[in-house]
Amino acid sequence: MLARSLLAATLAVTLAGSCAPPPAPPPLPVVEPPPPPLPAPRDDGRLPDLANAKAYALELEIDPGAPEYRGVVRVELDVLARTGHFVLRGGALTIEGASVRAGALDVRAEAHRRPSALGEELVLTLARAVGPGPAALEIRFRGRVGRGPIDGLARADVAGAPALAYAPGGRRGREPFPALDGRAPFTLTVQAPRDMTVTSSAPEERAVDLGTHVTHRFATTSAIPPGELALLVGRLDVTSGPGDGPELRVITPRGAALDTAGVLDLARTLVSSASDDLGTKLPFARLDVLALGPEMLAPPDPSLGAGLVVAAEPLGARATTAMALGAAIARQWFGVATSGVNDDDRWLDRGASCWLGARAAERADRGGASRVAKWRAEARAMDRDALSRATALRSRERGPNEWAPEDDAKSEALLSTLAAWLGDDAVLHALRARVAGPASSPAHELLTEIDRATGRDVSRMMTGYLDAPGVPEINVHVTCDPRKRWHAEVSDEPLSFAPARPVGESDPRTWIVPVCVLTDGGERPCAELAEGAPSLVAGRGCPTSLDPNPGRAYYRAYVSASKGVKLQREGARTDELARVAAISNAESAFRSGKIAATSLLEALAAADDDPSAELVREVTRVLEDLDDVAPSDARERLRAFADARFAPARSKLGWEPKTDEPRERADLRARCSPHRRGSRTTKTSCATPAAAPSAGSRARARSPPRRRPRRSR
């Protein structure tokens, strides 16, 4: 019985096995497709769109006296698509190791460099592809300490000692650490010698004493562009200022005897002005002002990044200092906190910063010197724009790194032109909208906002100034009728200091130019010149003086009068700025061939009795320019003319400074002194009162031969 049961069970198992499916074959190996090829460098200098940075953790080991520094950066990434490469800024760095963690994968990366439109890019080639999705990138690197003021991480020597090392972003391609484009929060840790002060874009959270060195850890910043992460390391003194609002501190080289209280007061005034104009507080909890004396090396750009600006005070230039510091403070809203990533919109962020900074400086400087300093910057920009080699603010011919102070001045002047045309409130309304809106809003949206608010075609007008080089020259011809009415025909043409065009060849450049004129009777009629068509403005009476550009819009102006109209020189009875602008415009008209040398020298001679120090400076500048290009046979007559101009002022000032003499007076004496800056114009003494030249000698002095092309200022 038992045997029969075992046999039945055996048969059942055998039959069941014969009906089972065959075993599954082993799975085929998964062949990962090759990663997409490395994208080529972009023509606009932007990095390829492979990943976005979500956050940075940056650790640096820095000694300002050493030639190199070390660091490690950890970047939280959002990888946009499957890739085997990452491309970053920082091509000048030496990479000691790099890896990427994506999920469970830990992938090594090899680094190399490649050229791009903005310098060398850093390319990481991964051992295997990653993404899309989150990832973490770690790079260990070394960098050389630069010598230039904004050469990556750079050193500035004070009295022969390495006192400062700062990383304001540097030139493109010289970034002090590997980074992607776009904005992200930064958490910075810096290890430095214990006798060094370290400051950055955020308050310091803690410091760990390691004996000979100290590790400084800073709070996490808001989202900022990598190039705006500020870092300052050196033997420094820090002075904090009381008051409401953001924390203000003045940083000076250790032991430097500088007016920190005055710098704090000026910075507080400028911050308050910009905050009021924009209707919002400073976007950072703290603002550090690096104060430098005239003998110390100052960087070209007073904005060293988020929360760090520079105040440098050369001799006799408080107004210029206030303007530069005001622009750097305004850049904390524009270009640092809310700037777009499109280089074509750079004019807006730079121009808005300068425009707001000039407004703040004017409030801080009640004497009006800042208005004159602003005009002089704009005049230099217009003179450069009149040269044949000028390039447009938005032009592919302009290299990505080619941005000069004249570009800042022109950008600011365009906003001043809008304000003169539409009023300050219209411009402020648009700037407030930009600050409150998305950080990447392009500039054309701001112009569209002004279009909507004013009902004017501002976008079309600004395109003429932004997309083509040049500056209009406005001709104002004044006529009076027997009924004591006056009218002025206003026309424009491109200002050019280049040789005359061939007969029959016209200049195709045109603009929409808002022009206002201000008479000594207080009338201020305005006209809009549309693409070269003339217009008329009119008023009552017959003016004896006329200012053709009271709003200081972006144009040069030349005023003439019909027979019987006795106009004094432009702006004669208006403010100091109008008188300075009149001299500047007269020189421009001479250079463009509108007036002869005699007319220019008559305008200079008409300023003899004007006590304005700013006007003396302007006359001096014009005479120096003439001396630079005057033929040798006319130079002695020009020097005699200069002596006659400055002899009265020099006799009043005297040779020796007086007790507690204002700096402006000392600067004015220097401008009337012989051998000033080696200028040929004032090499003869103007200390002794001299009689005016005879009519014949003055006529000869006023008629030097037509000047040859001169260098750009």
Side-chain angles (χ1 to χ4, degrees), residues 427-474:
V427 178
L428 287 173
H429 174 75
L431 295 183
R432 288 172 181 170
R434 181 168 176 81
V435 169
S440 59
S441 298
H444 71 80
E445 292 187 4
L446 177 135
L447 299 179
T448 302
E449 176 70 22
I450 300 179
D451 291 345
R452 286 195 297 264
T454 63
R456 307 289 185 91
D457 194 352
V458 173
S459 299
R460 180 168 169 244
M461 171 216 165
M462 291 293 287
T463 297
Y465 286 99
L466 293 171
D467 294 339
V471 57
E473 183 179 40
I474 304 301

Side-chain angles (χ1 to χ4, degrees), residues 376-397:
R376 286 200 172 106
E378 294 175 4
R380 288 192 294 270
M382 289 189 283
D383 287 353
R384 191 194 63 166
D385 238 1
L387 301 174
S388 58
R389 61 178 179 272
T391 57
L393 287 178
R394 295 193 303 204
S395 171
R396 294 305 178 194
E397 297 176 4

Side-chain angles (χ1 to χ4, degrees), residues 350-369:
R350 303 285 299 192
S353 300
C354 293
W355 188 74
L356 291 168
R359 285 171 57 86
E362 187 174 345
R363 292 167 180 167
D365 172 36
R366 294 181 176 86

Side-chain angles (χ1 to χ4, degrees), residues 59-61 68-73 90-99 108-113 122-124 137-144 177-178:
E59 299 176 8
L60 296 172
E61 298 177 12
E68 288 189 332
Y69 63 95
R70 292 179 178 272
V72 57
V73 62
L93 300 169
T94 299
I95 305 303
E96 296 182 329
S99 62
R108 291 184 301 105
E110 297 293 331
H112 68 275
R113 306 169 185 170
L122 173 63
V123 178
L124 298 181
L137 172 64
E138 179 176 302
I139 306 174
R140 296 178 300 280
F141 59 93
R142 287 185 292 116
R144 291 194 62 82
F177 54 88

Side-chain angles (χ1 to χ4, degrees), residues 67-85:
E68 288 189 332
Y69 63 95
R70 292 179 178 272
V72 57
V73 62
R74 300 174 181 88
V75 191
E76 296 180 19
L77 298 175
D78 179 16
V79 183
L80 301 180
R82 184 172 176 272
T83 181
H85 307 276

